[in-house]
C-alpha cells in the first residue's frame, strides 16, 4: 500500500493537473464533442489495421480502374505460342490454356467484380433498410405485408431465378448487378427488422414521439442509426459474397462470356486443377 | 401470441399458392425443352413422335391447366414424377433429404456454436491480437469460394494426406457404419461450417460490442459481479436477436442443401437434385423442391418471430 501511494503515476491520478486548452477557446469544447461521423473518421485514422486495409483496398481499386496502364497485355488476346506458362517476368502469374496473361485477366476481372460487388450490395442494403425499418417500426399490417413478401423472396432457389433472368432479360453486367442486388436483401432485411422491433420499444423513441417528432424523422434519425451495426456487418460481408455468386451460380449463364470475373476465374482454375488431379 | 401464430398460419396458405404460381411462370419463361433432357442428344426423333410424347407428358396443355392439375395433385401429397428419371418427386426428395439434413445440420450446429463463441471472445477482447486473427479468419472464410476450398480440401486431406475419403456418402461395398459416415461427413461439413462461423461471428461480435457499452453492463460490473456472469447473462442475452435471426434464416438450407459442396463431394442430397433438375429443365423436380422449401421457410420465419418475444420481451408482434 505504501509503495503504491508513493508511485508517481498514482499520485498524478489523485491530483489531476489542470492544463489550459492549447488554443484560445476557454472551454476547449471543440476537442471533446465531435459529431458521430467525425468520431468514426478519427478512430479509423488511428487504427493501424483499418488504415492498412484501406490502403490495400485502394491499391486494388486503382489497379482495376487503371488496368490498361498497369498491364501491357489485352485480357482476351490469345497467344498460342505462350500456352500454359508458369509465372515469369513477362507473365507475372503465368498464362492460361490459350496463352492469355493471367495477371492481366485478374486485373480486368477485378473491374467487373468490384463494380458488381459494390453496386449489388448498395441495392440490396437500400432495400433491406427501407423495408426492414418500415416493417419493424410500423408493425401490424405493414409488417405482415412486407415480411410475407420477404418470405416469398426467401423461398426461391437463386439458381432457378438466375437461369430464368438470363433467359428472359439476357446476360450482361447490368442484369447481373440487378439480379444479385434484388436476390440478397432478405436476410439483412430480417436482421434490420428484428433490431427495429426492439429499438421501437426503447425510451428514446417514446420520448421522441412524446415531444411530437414527426414519425418519418424518428425512423430516419432515431431508429435506423441504431441498427447501423447490423448494416455495417452485412455490407462488409456482403460485398465479398456478392462477388462470388457470379461464379457460384452457373458461370456464363447470367453475364456474357466475354467479360471475365474473378469468381468465374476462380472456378475455372479450380475445375482445371480438379481435372489434373 | 396464439392469435398471431394462427393468423400467420392462415396467411401461409395463399402465400404458398402465390409461390408455386410464380415458380410455374418462371419455368414457363426459361429456355429449353424438357424433352431434350428426356431424349438422348444424338438420337433423331421424328417431330410427330415428339408431339406425341409432349401430349403424353401433358406438356401440350395450356399453362394454367397444367398448374391447376399440379395443384390438385399437390394438395393430395403427389408432387408428380421427374421427367428425367420417372422417379416420383416425393420419393426423389425424401430419399435425399436425410443426407442433406445430416450435412447441413452438422455444419449449421458447429458453425453457429463456434461462431457465437468466437464472436463473443472477439468482442470482449476487441482490437486484441486474437480479435485480429478471428477477423482475418472470418473474411478469408467468406471471400474464398466453396468450390475452391472444397477442391483444395479434397486434394490436401483426401488425396495427399489420405485422412478422409475423397467424397461420397459411404464406402462402396461396406455395410453401414457410423464411423464411416462421419469420415465422409467431416470435410464437406467443415467447409460449409466455415461460412456459418464467419457470418455468425461477425454479427455476434458487433451485437456484443454494442451491448458491452451499455449502462446496465457497467452497472453489473460496478456491482462487482464476476466478468463471466456479466458477459453471459447481462450482455450475451441482449445480443441474441441477430443470432436468432441468422439461425432462423439458415433453417431452409437444412432441407435445401448446398449445391456446390454436394456436387463436389458427391453427397447425395437435395442441392444436387435441384442442380441436376435445373440443368435438365426437370420442372416437376424444381417446383417440388421449391414447394417444400417454401413450407420450411414460412414455418422457420414464423418460429423465429415467436422466439423474438422470448429473447426480447419488449417486442410486440400483434
Amino acid at each position: 500500500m505504501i509503495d503504491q501511494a508513493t508511485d508517481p503515476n498514482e499520485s498524478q491520478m489523485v491530483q489531476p493537473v489542470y492544463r489550459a486548452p492549447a488554443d484560445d477557446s476557454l472551454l476547449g469544447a471543440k476537442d471533446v464533442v465531435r459529431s458521430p461521423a467525425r468520431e468514426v473518421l478519427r478512430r479509423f485514422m488511428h487504427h493501424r489495421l483499418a488504415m492498412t486495409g484501406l490502403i490495400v483496398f485502394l491499391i486494388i481499386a486503382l489497379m482495376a480502374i487503371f488496368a490498361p496502364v498497369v498491364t501491357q497485355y489485352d485480357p482476351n488476346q490469345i497467344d498460342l505460342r505462350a500456352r500454359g506458362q508458369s509465372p515469369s517476368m513477362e507473365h507475372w502469374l503465368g498464362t492460361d490454356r490459350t496463352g492469355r496473361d493471367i495477371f492481366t485477366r485478374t486485373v480486368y476481372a477485378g473491374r467487373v467484380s468490384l463494380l458488381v460487388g459494390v453496386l449489388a450490395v448498395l441495392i440490396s442494403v437500400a432495400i433491406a433498410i427501407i423495408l426492414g425499418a418500415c416493417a419493424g417500426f410500423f408493425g401490424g399490417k405493414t409488417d405482415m405485408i412486407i415480411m410475407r413478401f420477404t418470405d416469398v423472396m426467401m423461398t426461391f432457389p437463386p439458381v432457378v431465378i438466375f437461369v430464368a433472368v438470363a433467359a428472359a432479360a439476357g446476360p450482361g453486367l447490368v442484369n447481373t448487378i440487378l439480379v444479385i442486388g434484388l436476390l440478397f436483401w432478405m436476410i439483412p432485411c430480417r436482421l434490420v427488422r428484428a433490431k427495429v422491433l426492439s429499438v421501437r420499444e426503447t425510451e428514446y423513441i417514446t420520448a421522441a414521439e412524446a415531444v411530437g417528432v414527426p414519425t418519418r424523422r424518428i425512423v430516419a434519425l432515431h431508429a435506423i442509426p441504431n441498427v447501423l451495426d447490423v448494416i455495417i456487418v452485412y455490407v462488409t460481408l456482403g460485398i465479398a459474397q456478392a462477388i462470388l455468386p457470379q461464379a457460384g451460380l452457373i458461370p456464363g449463364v447470367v453475364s456474357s462470356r466475354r467479360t471475365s470475373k474473378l469468381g468465374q476465374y476462380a472456378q475455372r482454375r479450380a475445375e482445371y486443377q480438379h481435372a489434373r488431379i | 401470441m396464439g392469435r398471431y401464430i394462427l393468423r400467420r398460419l392462415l396467411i401461409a396458405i395463399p402465400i404458398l399458392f402465390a409461390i408455386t404460381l410464380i415458380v410455374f411462370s418462371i419455368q414457363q419463361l426459361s429456355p429449353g425443352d424438357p424433352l431434350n433432357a428426356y431424349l438422348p442428344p444424338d438420337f433423331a426423333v421424328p417431330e410427330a413422335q415428339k408431339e406425341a410424347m409432349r401430349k403424353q407428358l401433358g406438356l401440350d396443355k395450356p399453362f394454367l391447366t397444367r398448374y391447376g392439375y399440379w395443384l390438385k395433385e399437390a394438395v393430395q401429397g403427389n408432387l408428380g414424377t421427374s421427367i428425367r428419371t420417372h422417379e416420383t418427386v416425393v420419393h426423389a426428395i425424401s430419399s435425399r433429404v436425410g443426407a442433406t439434413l445430416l450435412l447441413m445440420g452438422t455444419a449449421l450446429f458447429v458453425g453457429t456454436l463456434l461462431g457465437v463463441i468466437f464472436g463473443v471472445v472477439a468482442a470482449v477482447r476487441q482490437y486484441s491480437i486474437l480479435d485480429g486473427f478471428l477477423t482475418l479468419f472470418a473474411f478469408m472464410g467468406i471471400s474464398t469460394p466453396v468450390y475452391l476450398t472444397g477442391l483444395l480440401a479434397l486434394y490436401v486431406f483426401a488425396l495427399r494426406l489420405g485422412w478422409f475419403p475423397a467424397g461420397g456418402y459411404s464406402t462402396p461395398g461396406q455395410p453401414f457404419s457410423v464411423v464411416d459416415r462421419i469420415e465422409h461427413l467431416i470435410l464437406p461439413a467443415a467447409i460449409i461450417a466455415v461460412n456459418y462461423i464467419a457470418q455468425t461471428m461477425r454479427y455476434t461480435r458487433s451485437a456484443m460490442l454494442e451491448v458491452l457499452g451499455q449502462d446496465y453492463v457497467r452497472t453489473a460490473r460496478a456491482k462487482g459481479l464476476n466478468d463471466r456472469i456479466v458477459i453471459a447473462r447481462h450482455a450475451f442475452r441482449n445480443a441474441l436477436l441477430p443470432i436468432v435471426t441468422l439461425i432462423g434464416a439458415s433453417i431452409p438450407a437444412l432441407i435445401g442443401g448446398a449445391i456446390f459442396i454436394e456436387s463436389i463431394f458427391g453427397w447425395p442430397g437435395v442441392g444436387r437434385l435441384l442442380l441436376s433438375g435445373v440443368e435438365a429443365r426437370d420442372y416437376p423436380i424444381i417446383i417440388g423442391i421449391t414447394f417444400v422449401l417454401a413450407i420450411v421457410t414460412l414455418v422457420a420465419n414464423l418460429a423465429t418471430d415467436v422466439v423474438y418475444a422470448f429473447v426480447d420481451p419488449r417486442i410486440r408482434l400483434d
Side-chain angles (χ1 to χ4, degrees):
Chain A
M1 283 305 280
I2 297 163
D3 277 21
Q4 269 181 16
T6 51
D7 185 6
N9 290 326
E10 195 76 5
S11 60
Q12 224 176 22
M13 274 176 69
V14 179
Q15 297 171 308
V17 181
Y18 174 77
R19 283 198 204 90
D23 59 333
D24 284 341
S25 70
L26 271 174
L27 289 169
K30 271 185 197 156
D31 299 325
V32 187
V33 182
R34 294 183 190 86
S35 73
R38 292 195 83 183
E39 180 62 27
V40 168
L41 191 70
R42 195 187 68 91
R43 283 206 209 167
F44 191 89
M45 305 275 273
H46 284 91
H47 194 297
R48 217 182 308 151
L49 260 175
M51 289 309 286
T52 318
L54 180 69
I55 290 167
V56 172
F57 176 77
L58 281 179
I59 292 173
I60 294 173
L62 287 174
M63 272 172 72
I65 293 166
F66 298 105
V69 186
V70 176
T71 161
Q72 49 174 337
Y73 297 101
D74 178 323
N76 294 318
Q77 180 65 49
I78 294 171
D79 181 1
L80 292 177
R81 283 163 304 172
R83 279 188 316 217
Q85 283 186 0
S86 308
S88 62
M89 283 309 286
E90 278 119 82
H91 300 284
W92 291 355
L93 294 177
T95 56
D96 66 7
R97 275 180 288 180
T98 49
R100 295 176 296 192
D101 184 59
I102 290 178
F103 175 71
T104 306
R105 289 183 67 73
T106 312
V107 170
Y108 277 91
R111 281 183 158 185
V112 183
S113 289
L114 277 178
L115 202 64
V116 172
V118 173
L119 289 182
V121 166
L122 280 183
I123 293 174
S124 63
V125 87
I127 301 174
I129 293 175
I130 294 170
L131 292 186
C134 287
F137 196 86
F138 297 111
K141 269 195 185 130
T142 319
D143 182 51
M144 200 55 113
I145 293 168
I146 293 177
M147 293 327 285
R148 295 303 75 72
F149 174 61
T150 312
D151 286 353
V152 172
M153 291 300 294
M154 276 175 90
T155 299
F156 301 123
V159 185
V160 178
I161 303 203
F162 266 58
V163 175
V165 171
L173 192 60
V174 178
N175 286 342
T176 309
I177 294 171
L178 281 178
V179 169
I180 297 177
L182 295 177
L183 275 188
F184 291 91
W185 55 267
M186 288 81 79
I187 290 180
C189 176
R190 282 194 64 82
L191 286 161
V192 168
R193 165 185 174 259
K195 195 83 193 287
V196 173
L197 277 174
S198 164
V199 164
R200 177 180 68 173
E201 308 296 336
T202 52
E203 287 87 354
Y204 55 84
I205 300 285
T206 318
E209 276 171 345
V211 296
V213 180
T215 312
R216 198 190 280 176
R217 232 178 123 77
I218 296 180
V219 175
L221 293 180
H222 298 270
I224 292 177
N226 280 292
V227 299
L228 272 180
D229 64 323
V230 171
I231 295 164
I232 289 170
V233 176
Y234 167 69
V235 169
T236 53
L237 296 178
I239 290 179
Q241 284 172 325
I243 290 173
L244 293 179
Q246 294 175 59
L249 297 163
I250 309 184
V253 172
V254 169
S255 36
S256 66
R257 285 176 181 276
R258 282 196 53 201
T259 44
S260 72
K261 272 156 271 81
L262 282 175
Q264 266 187 40
Y265 215 69
Q267 179 164 41
R268 219 168 295 142
R269 291 308 303 172
E271 277 167 1
Y272 187 40
Q273 294 299 340
H274 194 44
R276 289 210 301 199
I277 293 167
Chain B
M1 191 49 105
R3 278 183 63 191
Y4 178 76
I5 295 173
L6 190 69
R7 205 162 66 211
R8 282 282 291 269
L9 289 175
L10 286 177
I11 287 177
I13 297 167
I15 286 180
L16 282 174
F17 275 124
I19 289 170
T20 51
L21 192 61
I22 293 170
V23 180
F24 241 85
S25 339
I26 289 177
Q27 286 312 314
Q28 201 69 11
L29 290 172
S30 296
D33 187 341
L35 275 189
N36 289 342
Y38 193 66
L39 299 166
D42 45 2
F43 197 76
V45 178
E47 207 42 54
Q49 206 167 335
K50 274 191 174 175
E51 222 29 71
M53 290 175 86
R54 277 203 188 92
K55 208 163 213 161
Q56 190 197 344
L57 291 165
L59 289 170
D60 58 332
K61 301 258 171 22
F63 167 67
L64 275 177
T65 317
R66 273 161 44 201
Y67 176 69
Y69 184 73
W70 179 86
L71 199 63
K72 200 184 107 205
E73 293 293 319
V75 291
Q76 296 171 40
N78 174 18
L79 294 175
T81 49
S82 158
I83 296 179
R84 204 169 49 106
T85 61
H86 296 287
E87 196 180 4
T88 66
V89 174
V90 173
H91 182 260
I93 296 175
S94 62
S95 64
R96 286 167 177 86
V97 84
T100 287
L101 205 59
L102 178 67
L103 176 68
M104 300 306 289
T106 314
L108 183 62
F109 178 74
V110 174
T112 305
L113 191 69
L114 290 182
V116 166
I117 294 173
F118 290 169
V120 170
V121 170
V124 172
R125 307 246 174 284
Q126 192 191 8
Y127 297 149
S128 66
I129 293 177
L130 186 64
D131 180 27
F133 174 77
L134 288 173
T135 305
L136 184 74
F137 166 80
F139 279 103
M140 279 175 65
I142 281 289
S143 335
T144 324
V146 285
Y147 39 82
L148 191 72
T149 42
L151 291 175
L152 270 178
L154 267 183
Y155 181 67
V156 174
F157 295 109
L159 286 169
R160 274 294 154 97
L161 298 171
W163 292 353
F164 301 106
Y169 191 46
S170 54
T171 313
Q174 268 185 25
F176 170 81
S177 79
V178 177
V179 178
D180 184 53
R181 180 62 39 87
I182 290 174
E183 276 179 354
H184 283 87
L185 177 67
I186 288 177
L187 274 188
I191 287 161
I192 302 169
V194 166
N195 274 297
Y196 282 128
I197 294 175
Q199 186 177 307
T200 313
M201 191 189 114
R202 295 303 295 173
Y203 282 107
T204 309
R205 180 180 179 273
S206 84
M208 279 298 285
L209 280 179
E210 193 190 318
V211 176
L212 284 173
Q214 297 285 333
D215 292 339
Y216 53 82
V217 170
R218 196 175 308 134
T219 312
R221 285 201 168 126
K223 283 195 304 187
L225 274 182
N226 184 327
D227 218 35
R228 273 203 187 152
I229 295 178
V230 176
I231 290 164
R233 291 216 194 126
H234 297 249
F236 182 62
R237 280 200 63 169
N238 285 293
L240 271 174
L241 219 48
I243 302 171
V244 167
T245 311
L246 281 180
I247 296 175
S250 310
I251 286 176
L254 288 178
I255 307 295
I259 290 174
F260 286 97
I261 288 299
E262 285 183 7
S263 302
I264 290 170
F265 284 88
W267 195 264
V270 181
R272 235 173 80 186
L273 179 70
L274 177 66
L275 187 63
S276 61
V278 170
E279 277 168 1
R281 316 283 184 242
D282 197 340
Y283 305 143
I285 290 282
I286 300 172
I287 294 162
I289 292 177
T290 314
F291 182 63
V292 175
L293 274 182
I295 296 173
V296 178
T297 309
L298 292 177
V299 173
N301 285 349
L302 173 57
T304 313
D305 285 353
V306 172
V307 172
Y308 284 163
F310 291 98
V311 169
D312 188 342
R314 286 174 303 191
I315 290 180
R316 295 172 289 123
L317 279 168
D318 28 53

